[in-house]
Structure formats: C-alpha cells, structure tokens
Amino acid sequence: MKQYYISTAIAYTSGKPHIGNTYEIVLADAIARYKRFKGFDVYFQTGTDEHGEKIQMKAEEKGISPKAFVDDVAGEIQRIWDIMNTSYDNFVRTTDSHHEKVVQKIFKKMYDKGDIYLGKYEGLYCTPCESFFTESQLVDGKCPDCGRDVQPKSEEAYFFRLSKYQDQLMEYIDSHPNFIKPESRKNEMINNFIKPGLQDLCVSRTSFNWGIPVDFDPKHVVYVWLDALTNYITNIGYDPDGSSDVFEKFWPADLHLIGKDIIRFHTIYWPCFLMSLELPLPKQIFGHPWLLVGDGKMSKSKGNVIYADDLVDLFGVDAVRYYLLHEIPYTQDGTLTYELLIERINSDLANVLGNLVNRTISMVHKYFDVPIVNQGVVENYDQELIEMINALEGKVDQKMETLEIGAALDEIFELLRRSNKYIDESTPWVLAKEENQKDRLMTVLYNLLEAIRVCGIFLQPFLPETSEKIKTQLQNNMEDIKYSSDNSYTVGSPEALFMRIDKEKKLQELV
C-alpha cells in the first residue's frame, strides 16, 4: 500500500481560530479523505504552535500562566477542527514533552555541526509575527507581513547558517518543479528572498522564557520557528539518536498545506533546517490563498471575524465545508459573505443535489413497490449519462492531483446537473401513465439511482455527512465507482438533504 503524509500548518494559539484559519484544515481533510478513498495509507497531522513572546504577553494580560493559556486555546482549536468533521490522525502540540526533548536534540546537533553559532542580534522586531527584519525589508516603515509597527531590539542570540544552504536550496527548487506550488509563490520566494541573498537566521531568544530552553545554555529559548517547523518530523518519530519505523515509513511528507502568509518559513527556513539534519525534503509545499470576508482580510479590530462553529450552527457542517472547498480559487483569495453562502446552498446543494435525490427516490416510491433493477430499455441519451458516470473518476482524479479541489467538486456537480437534465429528457411522469412503458420507466429510475450512488461515493471526501445520508436513502452499499448494469435498489424514505433558505429572511435574522 502506498503511503501519503499530509500536514497543515500548526495553528498559533493566540486565540480562537476564525473561518479563514479553518479553511486550511477542511482543505487538508478533503485531500486526506480522497487519498484514503483511493487506497493510500494516509497519515494526516495537524495541531498547535504554542510558544513565543506573543503567547507570554497574552497570558500575562489575562493573569494566568502561559501553559494555562495555551491549554485553553488548543482545546478550542481542536473542538472546532472536530466540529468541521476533520479526520486528522494526530493533533500535535509543541508543548508536548517528547517534541520539546527532540527539538533540544535537533538544536544541539546543528550546533555541534557548526550550523548554529552564538552572536548578537540587532534588528527591527515584530512581536505579533515573531520576526526580525532589516530596514530594507520594511514596507512603509512597518512589518512587511502584517503591517504593524516594529521595535528595535538587541540581544545575544544563536544563529542558524541559512546563507550556507542558499545554493543548495536554489538547486533543489530548480530540479524539483513541483516543490513549491502554486508557481506564483515559488517566483515570489526566489525573486524576493533567495536571489537577494539569505541572511543567517536568529534561532534563539533571551528576552522572554516561554519556549523550549536550549539545554546547554538555558538562558536562551529556541526561537519559535525552529520549534514549530520541526513538528512535522518530531511527531512521527524523528530523533537524532535514532528514528522510529513510522518516521522511515512516512517521511518525506507528501504535502505541507500552509497559508500563503507563512510560505517563506516553509520554503526557505524549513528546507535549510532539513538539509542541515541531512534529511529528505518534503515533496510539495502548497501555499493556499486566503478567505476574505466581504472586502477584506478578517481581523478583530475590523469587527469582521466569522467563526466556523457559528456558521455550522446556522447552516450545517457540510454546507460550510462545500462553500470553503468550492468557492476559494486555486491561486486567488476567496470571499465569504452570508449572501454568497446562502446563494450557493440554494443553487448547488438544495436545487442540484438535494432536488435530484429527493425527486428520484420519491418517484421510485410513487411508481414501484418492487426493487428497482436495470430492465435494459434504453434511449440514445442514456449512453451519454452512463459515459459521464464512468468518466467521473478520471476527471476527479486529475483535479485532485493538482489540488484543484473546487474544480473536482465541479466535476461531480456536472454529473448531478446532467442527471437532472436526464429526468427532463426521459419524462418519468409521462412514462408512468403508459402500461407498456413500465420497463423503460424502471430503466430510467435505475440509471438515476446509479448516477446518485456514484456521485454519493465521490462526495464522501468533501461532504462526508451528506454522502452517508445518500447511501442511507439508497439503501445500497455497492462501492463500485463505475456504472453497474446489474445492481438492485430498494430505497429508503426520501428526506431532504438541504433545505432552500429564504435569503432575505435569513439575512434579516443575522443582522
């Protein structure tokens, strides 16, 4: 069996994750579920990033210990990941003792190799981003990542020789064209960061203590990015003194799925750390776009933050999953508004999917009291539907291979739309009036049930609850993902998968 290791970035425990943060875990879940469906032995890791000055400051503001603060936030993050019905195999925390011990060993190994050295840092520091910048990297005198003010800081620090690995990194990127995706992110990293020259990286701090101590110099704590990035290997059994069989089985990771705002850390720092440790690099790092609310990025100061659990309470988990997976383009930021979400629920989920399933099962109950089997009474347009059913796997595979998740869903919904058109073409209500058309009527309903069954199976990675409801209504467990001419259906009661929403009324309720 082929292995597949997928990870999300670990969520920073500074507060409750909003719907934009939640997009990543749902996207990763759809990929992981699809790989399992295709027979891969999948390991799917997510978790929380819990150290750093920002956390220490927030805990002090609340009058509690940093550990109490991160315990609370990590619990909230995991609760929301579970609400979104995500199938992660491991939820990791950087405060886990085994992670901390291995990070200390990694730091020492790099130090003994000469890749980490003691020096002094003088630079401009952004506390929210936990990052140092030079004057030339600032944008209008502010942090280039978040736009906030930076403060001059000077302290003794250990440095990682990032510059040593510049040529090796560039060679690797050139010889592995799929390493950084999409292409626009790769070009940005090469032109803005690698070509101008990599500066050695500060990898320890002394001005706060909420972090993993450098065991041979305990006044230093390991800088949060070295601590956080190594989670991808510490939690599957990497150890400089001897790694586990699980590590040998799953590393290198197939996919690190991350937000575009942290691509620099994952495509420059992380590969150089791995080169220092003489470990293979992950096969692909994908920097996904953001989900914007209305006309801008979500922020508490703007008051435009939307949380996943609130959306699920209002619209249901699969409706929210569908919107996140379908509406955010492959390379461009997506937009979330209540209006757009309601329109998508009504048009795709209620009209196309829900209506097809409900109409078909209702007609089976209305016209027959015996199992539905293929009577083989065909018309020309039947073949087009059957060919679409049989072509679905190849089309979805192709889109999933390039991580175009929304386009993969489009392929499934194209078949659902074609099935609705097939009802209009075959006019079952007319056939039902003629005794000599009973076999044709049963063939039509059989073909529709086959289309629904196959679409239901393919929806499982994206809309797992809905997929299960379809299977229950069809009362058919056949897993064949092609059209089968010798299946049999004794369907259950028709139940609405998605209810149409009165948009104006709903929007008034949300004000």
Side-chain angles (χ1 to χ4, degrees):
M1 188 185 283
K2 289 174 72 178
Q3 280 79 41
Y4 189 84
Y5 173 11
I6 179 173
S7 68
T8 68
I10 48 176
Y12 199 50
T13 45
S14 54
K16 180 177 178 176
H18 56 62
I19 190 66
N21 309 132
T22 310
Y23 164 60
E24 186 175 299
I25 188 76
V26 174
L27 185 63
D29 180 63
I31 297 165
R33 285 178 183 270
Y34 194 78
K35 287 292 182 183
R36 290 191 198 106
F37 163 58
K38 298 299 290 184
F40 284 76
D41 181 5
V42 172
Y43 175 76
F44 171 19
Q45 180 171 294
T46 187
T48 45
D49 175 8
E50 303 186 11
H51 291 125
E53 185 175 18
K54 187 174 170 184
I55 301 287
Q56 187 167 316
M57 288 167 66
K58 282 185 168 282
E60 284 167 1
E61 283 168 20
K62 278 199 152 191
I64 58 175
S65 70
K67 185 65 167 69
F69 181 87
V70 296
D71 283 350
D72 181 55
V73 178
E76 184 69 355
I77 290 168
Q78 190 166 11
R79 183 183 74 85
I80 288 173
W81 283 192
D82 291 343
I83 284 171
M84 295 310 300
N85 196 7
T86 57
S87 59
Y88 55 84
D89 296 289
N90 196 5
F91 186 95
V92 305
R93 300 181 57 185
T94 55
T95 51
D96 291 338
S97 60
H98 75 274
H99 171 77
E100 294 188 342
K101 288 189 183 87
V102 178
V103 168
Q104 288 177 324
K105 289 184 183 182
I106 287 170
F107 195 98
K108 183 71 164 58
K109 179 171 180 169
M110 291 174 169
Y111 178 78
D112 289 344
K113 188 177 180 178
D115 282 355
I116 286 178
Y117 63 90
L118 188 61
K120 188 176 181 186
Y121 203 95
E122 291 188 23
L124 299 160
Y125 186 70
C126 174
T127 301
C129 292
E130 309 264 6
S131 294
F132 281 103
F133 298 98
T134 60
E135 194 77 49
S136 63
Q137 289 173 316
L138 301 181
V139 177
D140 298 326
K142 296 185 185 293
C143 170
D145 287 346
C146 73
R148 293 183 178 90
D149 290 331
V150 293
Q151 286 81 35
K153 286 207 174 186
S154 172
E155 61 183 89
E156 180 186 271
Y158 284 94
F159 288 80
F160 175 80
R161 295 187 194 278
L162 204 61
S163 53
K164 172 181 170 181
Y165 292 99
Q166 174 164 334
D167 293 345
Q168 196 178 334
L169 177 63
M170 197 61 236
E171 274 171 35
Y172 189 88
I173 293 170
D174 283 343
S175 59
H176 295 79
N178 292 321
F179 177 55
I180 305 172
K181 286 288 181 180
E183 203 70 20
S184 57
R185 309 267 180 260
K186 183 203 298 190
N187 296 335
E188 182 191 339
M189 291 304 105
I190 292 170
N191 297 325
N192 294 2
F193 295 99
I194 301 174
K195 281 189 174 169
L198 296 180
Q199 306 295 311
D200 286 355
L201 178 69
C202 172
V203 288
S204 80
R205 301 290 307 281
T206 59
S207 56
F208 62 94
N209 58 18
W210 179 239
I212 301 171
V214 174
D215 54 358
F216 59 86
D217 194 351
K219 68 176 180 289
H220 289 259
V221 293
V222 177
Y223 177 57
V224 68
W225 279 106
L226 180 58
D227 165 13
L229 289 164
T230 51
N231 96 88
Y232 301 125
I233 55 176
T234 62
N235 289 286
I236 56 165
Y238 172 74
D239 189 314
D241 296 333
S243 298
S244 72
D245 292 344
V246 176
F247 179 76
E248 300 302 331
K249 177 181 174 183
F250 282 108
W251 191 259
D254 293 87
L255 179 64
H256 287 329
L257 191 66
I258 57 161
K260 64 178 184 177
D261 51 330
I262 55 171
I263 196 145
R264 179 172 90 248
F265 307 103
H266 283 79
T267 59
I268 297 176
Y269 300 173
W270 181 224
C272 293
F273 293 161
L274 289 166
M275 287 170 179
S276 175
L277 294 170
E278 298 173 23
L279 292 174
L281 271 55
K283 294 173 192 171
Q284 189 171 98
I285 296 166
F286 182 81
H288 65 72
W290 283 336
L291 176 63
L292 307 176
V293 169
D295 57 358
K297 192 180 174 190
M298 266 173 275
S299 79
K300 286 180 181 169
S301 58
K302 285 186 189 172
N304 67 345
V305 175
I306 295 175
Y307 295 107
D309 50 348
D310 294 335
L311 276 184
V312 169
D313 286 344
L314 289 166
F315 302 105
V317 66
D318 275 4
V320 178
R321 282 178 65 107
Y322 181 77
Y323 191 90
L324 293 176
L325 294 170
H326 185 261
E327 292 303 302
I328 302 179
Y330 175 63
T331 57
Q332 297 160 311
D333 295 337
T335 302
L336 171 66
T337 65
Y338 287 120
E339 290 92 336
L340 288 171
L341 176 55
I342 292 167
E343 282 168 19
R344 189 54 71 195
I345 291 168
N346 285 344
S347 61
D348 292 4
L349 299 178
N351 280 11
V352 176
L353 172 59
N355 192 34
L356 173 67
V357 175
N358 197 272
R359 283 172 85 189
T360 302
I361 291 179
S362 295
M363 286 190 291
V364 169
H365 281 287
K366 185 174 181 181
Y367 301 136
F368 292 101
D369 56 7
V370 294
I372 303 296
V373 293
N374 184 17
Q375 299 295 332
V377 182
V378 297
E379 296 285 351
N380 292 338
Y381 49 83
D382 290 21
Q383 196 53 39
E384 185 189 335
L385 180 70
I386 291 167
E387 284 172 5
M388 279 189 76
I389 294 169
N390 289 334
L392 187 60
E393 180 186 17
K395 289 177 177 177
V396 176
D397 271 354
Q398 189 179 8
K399 301 302 183 189
M400 292 301 288
E401 195 59 36
T402 52
L403 305 183
E404 294 175 82
I405 314 299
L409 271 167
D410 279 338
E411 296 293 354
I412 301 167
F413 273 76
E414 202 56 43
L415 176 52
L416 293 168
R417 287 187 180 90
R418 182 67 189 86
S419 302
N420 276 315
K421 184 184 172 192
Y422 178 78
I423 295 177
D424 297 335
E425 290 169 334
S426 58
T427 58
W429 52 92
V430 175
L431 297 173
K433 292 174 184 172
E434 301 177 35
E435 194 57 39
N436 65 345
Q437 294 286 358
K438 281 277 186 190
D439 285 352
R440 173 60 186 157
L441 176 58
M442 188 177 279
T443 303
V444 165
L445 293 176
Y446 179 85
N447 289 341
L448 286 167
L449 290 167
E450 274 293 286
I452 291 167
R453 180 185 66 78
V454 172
C455 286
I457 292 170
F458 275 97
L459 282 172
Q460 193 280 329
F462 314 102
L463 311 179
E465 282 189 2
T466 303
S467 174
E468 202 52 45
K469 286 177 184 173
I470 291 170
K471 188 186 282 189
T472 300
Q473 289 193 46
L474 295 184
Q475 293 192 357
N476 188 294
N477 292 317
M478 183 186 247
E479 291 295 327
D480 191 348
I481 49 178
K482 302 291 184 191
Y483 177 89
S484 169
S485 56
D486 57 359
N487 209 338
S488 174
Y489 291 93
T490 308
V491 298
S493 302
E495 289 179 28
L497 295 174
F498 295 93
M499 301 296 291
R500 278 189 60 81
I501 298 168
D502 182 328
K503 186 166 89 169
E504 299 311 316
K505 186 180 172 190
K506 192 73 169 178
L507 291 174
Q508 284 176 352
E509 288 172 13
L510 293 169
V511 173

